[in-house]
Amino acid sequence: RRSSDLPELKKWVDYALANDTLILFDAAYEAYIQDENVPHSIYEIKGAKKCAIEFRSFSKTAGFTGVRCGYTVVPKELTAATLEGDRIPLNRLWNRRQCTKFNGTSYITQRAAEAVYSAEGKAQIKKTIDYYMTNAKIMKEGLEATGLKVYGGINAPYLWVKTPNGLSSWRFFEQMLYEANVVGTPGVGFGPSGEGYIRLTAFGERNDCIEAMRRIKNWL
């Protein structure tokens, strides 16, 4: 994949390299990416190993939520400056902290994580992700059919819906809850930029998603 296909992420990496800044990149949902031009890893960008740490999680990829299993990628090329200006390799520093503060993932969890990478495990994960992304497609099409503006639902199983008529996140949440009996999450709960939106998730049963869209259509 050419770096020119990934212009937005490249801007971040270029900025970090130019300003000696560290990027903490959360790739928890990379397995849900459908668009071939969306990077699965920040290390697809040239120079990222010198400025970025990447987090990977089994929670969303393989349903490990609550099991607490993931990993952190700290490239050996990555360094940071002390207040005195000395360059410190972060890989060794992180490894020392991790080995001191963490007793390790349980053996049964490690074996489950290992199974994720087997042929059978990969097939099961693909089937599960396809199921949730089909839910997202059903929800996106259903919401758009009502005239609502929808973002997301393509490379992640979440949909951000613009509240109509300038309603606040909480006001639209309450109306949808009490008038349509559908639960979402007020966007403002994610920060000021989320005001004016509500977030819906495709992590659910197919029939529930279909029923929710029916209720919203009849409501609006």
Side-chain angles (χ1 to χ4, degrees):
R1 198 179 287 136
R2 300 186 310 274
S3 61
S4 59
D5 294 328
L6 314 168
E8 291 304 315
L9 191 54
K10 186 176 185 301
K11 290 178 184 178
W12 285 89
V13 172
D14 289 345
Y15 176 89
L17 291 171
N19 294 275
D20 195 15
T21 302
L22 184 63
I23 296 175
L24 303 180
F25 189 77
D26 185 359
Y29 291 93
E30 65 82 23
Y32 287 81
I33 293 172
Q34 312 290 306
D35 187 338
E36 64 178 16
N37 290 324
V38 175
H40 288 257
S41 169
I42 195 169
Y43 303 123
E44 295 178 43
I45 306 298
K46 184 178 180 180
K49 288 184 178 181
K50 294 182 179 180
C51 66
I53 291 174
E54 183 166 297
F55 302 96
R56 290 294 184 103
S57 170
F58 288 84
S59 293
K60 300 301 184 293
T61 301
F64 274 48
T65 307
V67 179
R68 316 314 301 160
C69 185
Y71 57 96
T72 307
V73 182
V74 186
K76 292 185 176 180
E77 299 96 314
L78 186 63
T79 63
T82 65
L83 293 176
E84 292 75 26
D86 298 324
R87 304 301 303 187
I88 304 296
L90 294 185
N91 182 285
R92 293 202 307 267
L93 188 65
W94 178 252
N95 184 61
R96 180 181 178 185
R97 183 191 185 283
Q98 189 77 348
C99 293
T100 302
K101 302 287 186 179
F102 182 53
N103 290 327
T105 306
S106 67
Y107 180 69
I108 191 171
T109 302
Q110 291 183 45
R111 292 305 303 269
E114 179 184 20
V116 168
Y117 298 103
S118 66
E120 183 180 9
K122 290 179 179 178
Q124 290 174 345
I125 287 171
K126 184 180 186 305
K127 183 178 180 180
T128 300
I129 290 175
D130 287 346
Y131 179 89
Y132 290 131
M133 292 310 296
T134 299
N135 282 354
K137 183 174 185 290
I138 291 170
M139 293 170 66
K140 183 177 176 66
E141 291 175 351
L143 292 164
E144 289 178 338
T146 68
L148 291 169
K149 184 67 176 177
V150 183
Y151 301 88
I154 298 174
N155 295 307
Y158 297 109
L159 300 96
W160 287 79
V161 183
K162 185 77 175 88
T163 61
N165 305 317
L167 289 174
S168 70
S169 293
W170 274 107
R171 182 60 181 156
F172 188 64
F173 163 82
E174 291 171 346
Q175 288 184 354
M176 192 168 69
L177 175 62
Y178 293 112
E179 297 175 17
N181 299 129
V182 175
V183 178
T185 304
V188 72
F190 296 90
S193 297
E195 179 57 272
Y197 294 87
I198 194 165
R199 194 189 79 161
L200 300 176
T201 176
F203 282 130
E205 294 289 339
R206 177 68 45 78
N207 289 337
D208 290 341
C209 293
I210 294 172
E211 173 63 17
M213 295 306 102
R214 185 191 68 80
R215 292 182 185 183
I216 290 175
K217 182 179 180 181
N218 290 341
W219 170 49
L220 295 176

